[in-house]
């Protein structure tokens, strides 16, 4: 990547009692976390889970079934031969499954798997999945899972997205595909999700939305080692975590860093997210993408040095689009969809030395039933049947409004935006805030041709910046990529943005 990046301690309030990151020093161009140095005064450190995972029990708990690492397939066999609600204790050493690509552990309802210190379940680059099946309420704790080769978009742990699983204090690393899938009521706490080929976590369940998901206190780092965006340009299939059609998620207290692609990416009909108290830093792409989704709170996050790789690449090829570190694409607040908020509220975050800030975007050609909709034929949560979004009905109420995912009711306030171009290593296109759309052209039957979407997102859909603090040479983009504004133009009519905000053109000036 050719960029020296400096970590100054990972700081945010951590909701769990975990090993502390006492700081980090200089990194190379690799995605390996740096070694600890010292924390600047005034910052609160969060957990450095990968450096010190919580150990499991050194001896089998009362009533547990002991699993012998010297016996190949012992874990899967004992699971088959035991009743539901059994606790399995994996002894120290490397456990292996039978040498068959589909060999895996299939838990029964309520089973628990506890790893002793040094217990590893290794797929040997042969097995695709570690834990699968549809049984609910399974627990996996203090176990390292590595070396599995799940296919693209599939996962190694909870491969079938069963409900009610709890994964805690585990290290899930160096697997192909996603390290972990998610079902409803899943709890993912205090894990190290590191160096997986595609995602650390892929929250997706075929045929049903994932609901009531908690992702808390994890370290999610160096994922997408297989570089899927290079192999399939534009696939949108990389990063630390991908959320698909999740209804209700709390994502808090995580350290998401040094992932290729985005750090956190919520894509297609997600709703009711609270993304709070995380540290999102040094990801190649955006820290957060919220795409064709609804109703979220993004609060009290520390967001630093993201999008240097992807943002610089786009600038060097002359692309004038304001790629940002927090990117809302066709996403907004919708009071008709039940959630804990009816807006997207982005407040009390620190964004420091990222490649650009926040972009609110709406593609005028992307709507339900349009060939330009990249969300695999999905429709909005307001219109469940794609076929309804066709002429002539789509040109009239209510479908004219409801067939579009709209970037609306976004409230951006009380944030601190810091940009030092000498740190980022840029002179142009790296310090922008934006609210914009394109000129609608496609398909030929689209009711959104021309500028109506650009006019709506800019002036009619209640998107508002206010009471923020800016340090550094920020500029602003409104309506379309060609309309670049200075502070005075951004605050004046017709945009009237950032009322009550303060601007200091130089960091430390």
């Amino acid at each position: 990547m050719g960029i020296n990046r400096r970590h100054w301690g990972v700081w945010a309030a951590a909701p769990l009692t975990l090993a502390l990151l006492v700081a980090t020093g200089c990194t190379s161009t690799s995605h390996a976390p740096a070694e600890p140095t010292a924390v600047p005064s005034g910052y609160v450190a969060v957990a450095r889970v990968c450096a010190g995972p919580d150990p499991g029990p050194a001896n089998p708990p009362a009533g547990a079934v002991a699993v012998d690492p010297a016996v190949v397939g012992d874990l899967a066999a004992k699971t088959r031969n035991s009743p539901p609600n059994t606790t399995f204790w994996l002894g120290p050493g490397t456990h292996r499954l039978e040498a068959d690509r589909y060999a895996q552990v299939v838990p029964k309802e309520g089973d628990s798997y506890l790893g002793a210190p040094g217990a590893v379940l290794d797929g040997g680059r042969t097995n695709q999945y570690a834990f699968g099946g549809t049984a609910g309420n399974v627990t996996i704790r203090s176990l390292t899972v590595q070396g599995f080769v799940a296919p693209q978009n599939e996962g190694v742990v909870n491969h079938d997205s069963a409900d009610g699983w709890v994964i805690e204090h585990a290290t899930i690393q160096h697997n192909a595909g996603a390290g972990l899938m998610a079902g409803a009521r899943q709890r993912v706490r205090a894990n190290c999700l590191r160096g997986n080929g595609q995602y650390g976590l892929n929250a997706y369940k075929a045929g049903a939305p994932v609901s009531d998901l908690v992702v808390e206190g994890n370290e999610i780092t160096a994922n997408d080692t297989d570089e899927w965006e290079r192999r399939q340009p534009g696939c949108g299939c990389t990063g630390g975590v991908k959320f698909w059609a999740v209804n209700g998620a709390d994502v808090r207290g995580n350290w998401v860093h040094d992932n290729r692609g985005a750090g956190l990416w919520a894509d297609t009909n997600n709703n009711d997210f609270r993304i709070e108290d995380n540290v999102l830093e040094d990801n190649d792409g955006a820290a957060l993408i919220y795409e064709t989704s609804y109703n979220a709170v993004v609060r009290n996050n520390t967001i630093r040095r993201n999008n240097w790789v992807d943002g610089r690449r786009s600038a060097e090829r002359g692309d004038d689009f304001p790629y940002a570190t927090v990117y809302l694409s066709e996403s907004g607040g919708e009071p008709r969809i039940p959630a804990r908020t009816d807006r997207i509220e982005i407040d009390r975050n620190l964004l420091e030395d990222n490649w650009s800030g926040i972009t609110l975007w709406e593609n005028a050609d992307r709507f339900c039933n349009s060939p330009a909709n990249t969300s695999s034929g999905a429709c909005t949560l307001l219109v469940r049947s794609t076929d309804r979004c066709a002429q002539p009905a789509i040109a009239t109420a209510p479908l004219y409004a409801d067939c579009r995912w709209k970037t609306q009711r976004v409230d951006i306030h009380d944030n601190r935006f810091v940009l030092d171009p000498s740190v980022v290593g840029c002179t142009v296109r790296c310090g922008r805030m934006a609210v914009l759309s394109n000129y609608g052209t496609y398909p030929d039957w689209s009711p959104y041709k021309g500028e109506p979407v650009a006019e709506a997102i800019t002036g009619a859909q209640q998107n508002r910046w206010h009471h923020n603090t800016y340090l550094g040479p920020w500029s602003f983009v409104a309506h379309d990529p060609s309309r670049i504004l200075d502070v005075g133009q951004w605050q004046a009519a017709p945009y009237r943005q950032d009322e009550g905000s303060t601007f200091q053109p130089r960091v430390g000036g």
Side-chain angles (χ1 to χ4, degrees):
M1 297 176 289
I3 301 169
N4 286 325
R5 302 194 273 192
R6 184 171 182 80
H7 296 259
W8 277 113
V10 178
W11 24 278
L16 299 176
T17 304
L18 303 169
L20 293 181
L21 166 68
V22 293
T24 52
C26 295
T27 66
S28 69
T29 57
S30 74
H31 284 255
E35 291 302 313
T37 54
V39 170
S41 61
Y43 297 135
V44 179
V46 298
R48 192 175 189 228
V49 180
C50 294
D54 210 40
N59 296 295
V65 174
V67 181
D68 186 352
V71 179
V72 172
D74 196 38
L75 178 60
K78 286 179 174 173
T79 297
R80 284 194 301 270
N81 296 327
S82 299
N85 301 300
T86 297
T87 295
F88 301 91
W89 176 82
L90 284 74
T94 299
H95 298 252
R96 295 193 182 276
L97 304 174
E98 297 290 345
D100 179 283
R101 64 188 297 187
Y102 297 114
Q104 60 190 286
V105 181
V106 182
K108 297 183 174 73
E109 182 79 19
D111 282 350
S112 294
Y113 298 86
L114 310 180
V120 176
L121 179 60
D122 195 312
R125 310 306 296 177
T126 298
N127 309 120
Q128 291 188 348
Y129 317 121
F131 294 91
T134 59
N137 305 312
V138 171
T139 296
I140 298 171
R141 185 176 289 123
S142 301
L143 178 65
T144 294
V145 180
Q146 64 186 31
F148 289 82
V149 287
Q152 183 187 14
N153 296 325
E154 297 187 39
V156 169
V157 174
N158 197 10
H159 167 258
D160 298 294
S161 302
D163 296 339
W165 284 39
V166 175
I167 299 96
E168 295 180 326
H169 305 294
T171 297
I172 302 174
Q173 63 182 6
H174 311 317
N175 303 287
L180 178 64
M181 301 296 286
R185 304 182 309 282
Q186 185 152 308
R187 303 294 180 257
V188 182
R189 296 192 180 106
N191 302 287
C192 172
L193 307 179
R194 173 173 60 189
N196 295 289
Q198 190 175 4
Y199 307 116
L201 166 63
N202 185 11
Y204 168 76
K205 184 170 184 175
V210 174
S211 60
D212 186 18
L213 174 64
V214 173
V215 180
E216 181 176 20
N218 305 280
E219 184 175 348
I220 303 167
T221 182
N223 294 289
D224 188 34
T225 59
D226 290 337
E227 299 185 89
W228 278 101
E229 288 287 349
R230 178 182 58 80
R231 297 165 64 177
Q232 296 181 1
C235 72
C237 60
T238 61
V241 181
K242 194 70 177 281
F243 303 92
W244 303 81
V246 174
N247 185 27
D250 289 344
V251 183
R252 57 183 178 245
N254 302 284
W255 181 21
V256 184
H257 68 99
D258 291 281
N259 296 283
R260 293 189 174 96
L264 303 175
W265 191 338
D267 185 356
T268 308
N269 288 340
N270 298 278
N271 175 51
D272 194 14
F273 272 53
R274 298 187 73 92
I275 302 170
E276 300 177 313
D277 301 315
N278 301 285
V279 176
L280 312 174
E281 62 182 0
D282 294 309
N283 298 290
D284 283 3
L288 171 64
I289 300 175
Y290 206 68
E291 180 178 1
T292 53
S293 294
Y294 304 89
N295 300 326
V297 173
V298 181
R299 179 172 294 156
N300 290 334
N301 300 287
T302 296
I303 303 173
R304 300 180 301 184
R305 300 183 303 275
N306 297 281
N307 203 31
W308 286 18
V309 173
D310 291 359
R312 189 181 312 278
R313 185 182 296 127
S314 68
E316 288 176 347
R317 67 175 180 251
D319 190 338
D320 198 40
F321 187 83
Y323 294 101
T325 200
V326 174
Y327 180 35
L328 271 62
S329 178
E330 297 88 28
S331 292
E334 177 49 74
R336 290 174 291 173
I337 298 174
R340 290 167 288 183
T341 180
D342 60 6
R343 298 178 174 270
I344 292 182
E345 189 162 4
I346 304 174
D347 68 290
R348 289 176 270 175
N349 303 286
L350 169 65
L351 280 77
E352 181 178 23
D353 292 332
N354 301 284
W355 192 281
S356 286
I358 299 173
T359 288
L360 310 186
W361 161 254
E362 191 173 327
N363 183 347
D365 298 330
R366 185 180 189 183
F367 54 91
C368 185
N369 208 25
S370 167
N373 176 25
T374 59
S375 294
S376 303
C379 203
T380 70
L381 292 182
L382 298 171
V383 184
R384 300 304 180 110
S385 173
T386 301
D387 293 342
R388 294 183 63 203
C389 295
Q391 291 284 8
I394 192 174
T396 60
L399 293 179
Y400 179 81
D402 292 350
C403 287
R404 243 174 64 221
W405 289 274
K406 289 188 284 188
T407 302
Q408 65 177 7
R409 298 172 63 83
V410 181
D411 194 4
I412 303 168
H413 64 94
D414 294 289
N415 302 285
R416 182 176 178 87
F417 301 118
V418 181
L419 174 65
D420 185 341
S422 69
V423 172
V424 180
C426 69
T427 56
V428 295
R429 298 193 180 104
C430 63
R432 297 181 290 180
M433 297 282 171
V435 53
L436 76 165
S437 181
N438 58 321
Y439 191 89
T441 62
Y442 180 79
D444 59 6
W445 54 269
S446 169
Y448 312 114
K449 286 184 175 180
E451 297 190 349
V453 175
E455 295 292 338
I457 189 175
T458 306
Q461 291 180 181
Q462 301 178 53
N463 297 314
R464 185 173 177 235
W465 280 255
H466 63 98
H467 295 95
N468 298 295
T469 298
Y470 292 83
L471 287 80
W474 291 92
S475 61
F476 305 87
V477 182
H479 189 274
D480 62 78
S482 68
R483 200 171 298 186
I484 301 172
L485 314 174
D486 61 24
V487 172
Q489 294 168 319
W490 177 246
Q491 291 191 297
Y495 309 109
R496 301 190 186 280
Q497 294 290 359
D498 268 313
E499 178 186 1
S501 297
T502 61
F503 299 85
Q504 181 176 303
R506 289 186 302 278
V507 176

